[in-house]
Amino acid sequence: MSLTFAVAPLAAAPVLPSRASLPRQGPKASPLAGAGATAAGAAAVVAAAVQRRGRVARRVRGGGEKTYVGRFDGTQKVEKGTTQVEEALAAEGTRGRSAAKWSVLSERIEGLAKEMYMLIGSIDPYCRDNSTAEGAAMKAIRQKMEDTDWAGLAESKTTMFSYGAEMSTDPVEAQFVKMLTYMKRPKQVLEIGMFTGYGSMAIAEALPANGTVTSLDIDPYLKTWVEDVSKDFPEGKKHQIVVGPALDSLKVLDTSIKFDLIFIDANKAEYKDYLQTLMDRELLAEDCMIIGDNTLYVGYPILSETYDTQPARRDFGDAVREFNAWVRDHPKLEQVILPFRDGVSMIRLK
Ligand SMILES: C[S@@+](CC[C@H](N)C(=O)[O-])C[C@H]1O[C@@H](n2cnc3c(N)ncnc32)[C@H](O)[C@@H]1O
C-alpha cells in the first residue's frame, strides 16, 4: 500500500528530524563544495534549509496542533481538466515512434521516450490483469472501496481523516502478501494500519483454518465499514479489528500471542516505534516475518530536499529513511528492501 499518510492529530505526532541532521546528503550539498564555498557560506545554506524546513513543518502541522492529515492530493500541483486532451495530443504526436524507427535525432529521442512511456504505462496494468489471486472477499472489499464517497465522508467528519481508494494496498501487492501468507502458513498475523481491509482480507484468504489476522487502526468508522463486508465471508471470522492508535494497542496486546507474520502499514513516522514495541513486549514469534510497506516512500528517503515536489511529505520521508537505517544497523534484525511499488521491506529476527 499504500502511501498517503501524513501524521495524526493525536498521540501519533512524529518527531521532527533534528537540526543536527542537516544539511542532507545529496546533490544539494555537492555543487556548493565544488564551487569552493566557505564554511560561512555553507552555514548560511544550512540555516536557510533549517528555516525552510521549519516553515514546511508548520504548514503540515498547522502550528504544531495537527499531526495527521490522511491523504495527500498533491500539495503543490492542482490537476486541471485539460490533461486528457494534452495526453491525447502527445500520444498522437508520437504515434508509431519506437526506439528503432527514426531518421533524425529528434525522432530517435521521441522513439526512445515513447518506448519507455509504453513500458512504464503498461507494466502495472499487465501485472494486475494477469494476476489471479484476488479472492471473493478481497473483490467485495475492492468494489465497495471504489464505490465509497470518501470525500463526502471526510466532509461530514464521518471518517477521522480524508481518505482515497489509492490508500489501499493495490491488487498486485495485496496478492503478493497473500502469496507470502500461503508460504509462511502463519497462525497469528498482525496488520498495523488496516484502512478498508483489502490487505487483511488477502491475508485471511490465505490463512490456514486455525489462523487469525488482527488489524489495528485508529479510525472506528473503518471497523464498521470492513465488518459490513467481511461478515458475509468465511474470512471475516478469521479477522479481528482493534480500534485505537496503534502504539497504544500494541502496548496492551496479549503477550501470550506471538505473531508469525506482521504487515506494518500505518503512520510512516511510527514504524520504528511499532517494531521496537513489538520486540520489547516479545510479541514476535521466533521465526516471525515482518513486511513493511512504503519503505521507499515515493523516493523521499533516497533523494534530498532538492527534489521535493510535495514538501509536506518530507517528514515521513526522513522518518522512513531513519527506520530503514535503524533496521539495517540493528544487531537483532536483518532486512531486504525491495523496489516494488512504494518499497516493500522484509524483516526478520536474526
Ligand atoms: C495505508 S492505510 C493501510 C492500508 C492497508 N494496510 C491495506 O492493506 O489496504 C493506513 C491506515 O493506517 C491507519 N493509521 C494511521 N495512523 C495510525 C495510527 N497511529 N494508529 C493506527 N492506525 C493508524 C489509517 O487510519 C489508515 O487506515
Side-chain angles (χ1 to χ4, degrees):
M1 118 227 48
S2 206
L3 53 86
T4 45
F5 279 88
V7 269
L10 307 171
V15 178
L16 249 186
S18 72
R19 282 164 188 243
S21 69
L22 290 162
R24 286 167 212 300
Q25 293 176 338
K28 200 164 195 165
S30 50
L32 188 72
T38 62
V45 170
V46 173
V50 168
Q51 235 184 7
R52 199 168 51 247
R53 300 212 64 226
R55 278 199 301 274
V56 169
R58 276 192 297 282
R59 251 197 336 267
V60 176
R61 300 196 176 91
E65 287 157 32
K66 255 189 161 184
T67 49
Y68 190 91
V69 297
R71 87 188 293 200
F72 281 98
D73 286 321
T75 43
Q76 270 67 51
K77 185 168 174 283
V78 178
E79 293 290 346
K80 296 270 193 294
T82 55
T83 49
Q84 281 184 346
V85 176
E86 287 171 356
E87 283 171 15
L89 278 173
E92 187 54 37
T94 55
R95 186 180 301 284
R97 296 272 191 271
S98 79
K101 191 165 175 278
W102 40 263
S103 55
V104 296
L105 178 61
S106 62
E107 282 183 2
R108 185 180 180 193
I109 292 169
E110 280 170 11
L112 286 167
K114 182 70 183 292
E115 279 204 13
M116 198 169 69
Y117 165 80
M118 290 301 291
L119 260 181
I120 288 172
S122 306
I123 291 172
D124 278 2
Y126 180 86
C127 293
R128 186 193 59 221
D129 295 347
N130 288 279
S131 296
T132 54
E134 182 188 67
M138 290 173 73
K139 189 173 174 192
I141 292 271
R142 182 170 55 75
Q143 286 176 341
K144 181 177 171 187
M145 181 169 63
E146 286 164 4
D147 292 344
T148 296
D149 174 14
W150 295 108
L153 289 170
E155 186 83 20
S156 62
K157 303 211 183 314
T158 308
T159 53
M160 279 179 84
F161 309 105
S162 161
Y163 301 127
E166 81 283 358
M167 289 164 65
S168 167
T169 301
D170 93 299
V172 174
E173 187 179 346
Q175 290 174 62
F176 173 67
V177 172
K178 184 174 180 178
M179 292 299 188
L180 291 177
T181 311
Y182 276 126
M183 288 170 71
K184 183 81 180 129
R185 308 300 290 164
K187 290 215 171 59
Q188 293 290 344
V189 183
L190 179 68
E191 179 189 45
I192 307 178
M194 172 184 71
F195 189 37
T196 57
Y198 190 64
S200 39
M201 276 309 113
I203 292 165
E205 285 182 357
L207 276 178
N210 59 350
T212 300
V213 52
T214 303
S215 295
L216 312 182
D217 204 284
I218 198 168
D219 191 336
Y221 175 78
L222 295 174
K223 176 174 159 66
T224 315
W225 191 102
V226 172
E227 287 174 347
D228 277 351
V229 184
S230 64
K231 66 177 172 16
D232 297 330
F233 294 89
E235 287 77 16
K237 295 189 177 53
K238 299 179 186 172
H239 189 210
Q240 58 185 37
I241 301 167
V242 179
V243 174
L247 281 173
D248 293 353
S249 302
L250 286 172
K251 284 178 192 141
V252 295
L253 283 183
D254 178 357
T255 51
S256 68
I257 292 173
K258 309 291 177 200
F259 293 102
D260 308 299
L261 180 65
I262 297 179
F263 184 33
I264 301 183
D265 194 16
N267 185 338
K268 309 307 159 201
E270 294 182 346
Y271 276 27
K272 182 179 153 192
D273 290 340
Y274 298 152
L275 189 45
Q276 185 69 66
T277 308
L278 285 160
M279 291 169 77
D280 290 348
R281 299 200 67 230
E282 299 184 350
L283 288 161
L284 307 181
E286 208 177 309
D287 61 350
C288 178
M289 178 60 69
I290 299 144
I291 311 295
D293 201 9
N294 309 112
T295 51
L296 295 178
Y297 194 66
V298 283
Y300 278 46
I302 305 164
L303 297 178
S304 71
E305 278 178 336
T306 306
Y307 302 99
D308 284 4
T309 45
Q310 296 184 358
R313 291 183 183 270
R314 175 44 64 183
D315 284 348
F316 275 176
D318 287 344
V320 171
R321 191 186 56 225
E322 283 161 23
F323 171 74
N324 291 338
W326 177 75
V327 176
R328 179 197 65 209
D329 297 335
H330 199 294
K332 291 190 179 152
L333 297 171
E334 61 187 5
Q335 69 177 343
V336 56
I337 303 177
L338 304 171
F340 169 37
R341 295 283 299 173
D342 201 33
V344 177
S345 290
M346 300 177 75
I347 304 168
R348 64 184 291 278
L349 291 170
K350 278 187 195 167

